Amino acid sequence: MVKCLAIADLFIDKQMMENGLADLKEKGIEVVVKEWQHDDLEALQKDNITLEKQGSEAVDLPDYLIEGIEEYDYLITQFAPVGKKVIDKAKNLKFVGVLRAGIENVNRQYAEEKGITVFNTPGRSETSVSEYAVGLMLSEIRNIARADRKLRNGEWEKSYPNGVLAPELKESVVGLVGYGAIGQKVANLVRPFGGKIIFFDDYFKGETEDTQVSLEELVTQADIISMHYRLTPETRNMLNKEHFRKMKTSAVVINSARSGLINEADLIEALQTKEITGAAVDVFEQEPLPADHPYLALENVTITPHIAGSTIGNFANSPKILANRLINEYL
């Protein structure tokens, strides 16, 4: 019988995993679910961030998860690392499925050298992250979060970094840096507000009612710049001081994607000097955010603790999406 090992965690727990992989069981595949154990979500996130930044060999998979792994044909993981040690021991492994878009926690090159196919779960965060990105836009330009904070501190404040009269999404040019599944979903959510949508994406070749422009054109034209690109060595710091200098002084920058897409120090400087009006950021170079981080001293930035993708739908549906992909594309 074909066997599949699925590694659950604190975000996709054992029950979610078993429910989501039911279609594999119906195909006669034996599914065994083990759990990568952490004391709390922060401990899991720490390992995840280490893997994202340093790669699959940076964190060892515990022995209790590796035991008997040579029996399995398929391996499904979300955050658990699959490095050389795991691949060498998993003698019968044919597929590794990752329950998210990024596969930094898997040594893909080494796996494929061993004849193992590695595939991801594209589009799983499409709804959660796109909704959150639009929420950050509204919160930042309409001062929702900072007005709440002021009022809780006993301050009846109506004047903010973008003035007494806030801009409207309807009258804004929204520039999307990245026009993949999430970027296009953001466009679909923003379009009914009435704003003009422009986008930069080197890889998009299809038809759309939105306007494709160069990155230079986007940063000079947009009132709101929202990041939705994949982080690669080539796209790291793709938004930096050279771009902030070309932006409107009224511009705001939104990042619910990856911190490395924007040079964090350059963004902080642009906010401090009011080169741009504001930003809303859910991802950071150091997480959790240190107590002395410059963002905490700024009034013109909205910050949230890396929760854009944290929805029930995102995590609960991921095993089902991946199971269907495995069945439809590989089996």
Side-chain angles (χ1 to χ4, degrees):
M1 175 180 283
V2 175
K3 296 183 69 174
C4 173
L5 173 62
I7 302 177
D9 54 50
L10 291 177
F11 281 107
I12 298 180
D13 62 27
K14 190 171 183 179
Q15 192 61 56
M16 283 183 183
M17 192 73 83
E18 288 177 347
N19 292 343
L21 299 179
D23 289 346
L24 292 183
K25 295 178 184 178
E26 290 183 7
K27 291 290 183 181
I29 297 168
E30 182 183 346
V31 177
V32 175
V33 180
K34 295 184 180 182
E35 295 180 278
W36 191 24
Q37 296 167 0
H38 288 82
D39 291 337
D40 52 36
L41 290 175
E42 284 302 323
L44 174 57
Q45 280 290 68
K46 182 178 179 181
D47 276 346
N48 179 36
I49 291 165
T50 299
L51 290 162
E52 285 189 357
K53 292 185 176 180
Q54 300 178 34
S56 58
E57 308 299 329
V59 176
D60 287 330
L61 196 65
D63 289 339
Y64 64 84
L65 294 176
I66 299 175
E67 185 179 356
I69 200 167
E70 62 276 1
E71 301 173 13
Y72 295 94
D73 304 274
Y74 309 147
L75 175 60
I76 293 174
T77 177
Q78 177 176 227
F79 298 130
V82 182
K84 290 183 178 180
K85 179 182 176 181
V86 175
I87 293 166
D88 285 339
K89 190 167 184 183
K91 301 294 186 184
N92 292 315
L93 203 59
K94 300 176 181 65
F95 295 99
V96 175
V98 184
L99 292 165
R100 54 192 187 133
I103 56 172
E104 297 88 351
N105 57 314
V106 177
N107 192 326
R108 182 175 190 170
Q109 181 178 346
Y110 191 69
E112 292 183 345
E113 287 173 2
K114 299 287 185 178
I116 300 167
T117 299
V118 180
F119 62 99
N120 63 355
T121 313
R124 81 148 193 178
S125 299
E126 180 180 318
T127 297
S128 58
V129 175
S130 60
E131 288 182 352
Y132 200 84
V134 177
L136 288 179
M137 292 178 194
L138 291 168
S139 183
E140 181 57 29
I141 68 172
R142 298 303 303 275
N143 305 298
I144 295 169
R146 61 177 61 94
D148 175 84
R149 185 172 65 251
K150 291 282 189 182
L151 201 53
R152 290 179 187 276
N153 289 332
E155 301 174 59
W156 188 265
E157 181 64 70
K158 294 196 175 185
S159 179
Y160 294 99
N162 58 359
V164 176
L165 300 177
E168 295 176 346
L169 203 49
K170 179 182 179 182
E171 301 299 328
S172 299
V173 176
V174 178
L176 306 176
V177 181
Y179 201 70
I182 293 175
Q184 290 177 49
K185 183 77 170 182
V186 171
N188 291 339
L189 293 172
V190 168
R191 203 173 291 114
F193 282 91
K196 178 183 177 182
I197 300 165
I198 60 176
F199 70 93
F200 164 74
D201 193 315
D202 272 331
Y203 304 98
F204 181 79
K205 304 298 181 186
E207 296 294 324
T208 175
E209 60 189 285
D210 303 319
T211 304
Q212 189 167 6
V213 297
S214 68
L215 185 58
E216 299 299 313
E217 291 172 312
L218 186 144
V219 298
T220 58
Q221 295 175 22
D223 300 295
I224 300 168
I225 295 104
S226 189
M227 307 301 294
H228 303 289
Y229 236 69
R230 291 281 303 141
L231 180 60
T232 67
E234 292 73 32
T235 62
R236 180 168 292 278
N237 296 325
M238 69 184 297
L239 217 62
N240 55 60
K241 64 175 65 179
E242 297 303 320
H243 301 99
F244 297 128
R245 287 171 183 160
K246 296 174 181 177
M247 291 180 190
K248 300 176 182 179
T249 56
S250 58
V252 300
V253 173
I254 311 296
N255 193 5
S256 56
R258 290 282 189 258
S259 62
L261 293 171
I262 300 178
N263 185 300
E264 189 173 85
D266 290 353
L267 175 58
I268 289 166
E269 183 180 355
L271 293 168
Q272 289 171 334
T273 61
K274 298 183 172 55
E275 197 163 37
I276 61 173
T277 288
V281 182
D282 183 57
V283 286
F284 311 92
E285 285 300 290
Q286 186 176 348
E287 297 182 7
L289 206 63
D292 61 349
H293 197 282
Y295 279 144
L296 298 171
L298 290 168
E299 283 292 321
N300 56 346
V301 62
T302 299
I303 49 177
T304 57
H306 201 154
I307 55 173
S310 299
T311 63
I312 293 172
N314 187 358
F315 289 99
N317 290 331
S318 295
K320 185 172 182 63
I321 295 169
L322 185 135
N324 288 335
R325 185 174 185 198
L326 177 58
I327 291 167
N328 294 329
E329 296 183 28
Y330 297 102
L331 299 186

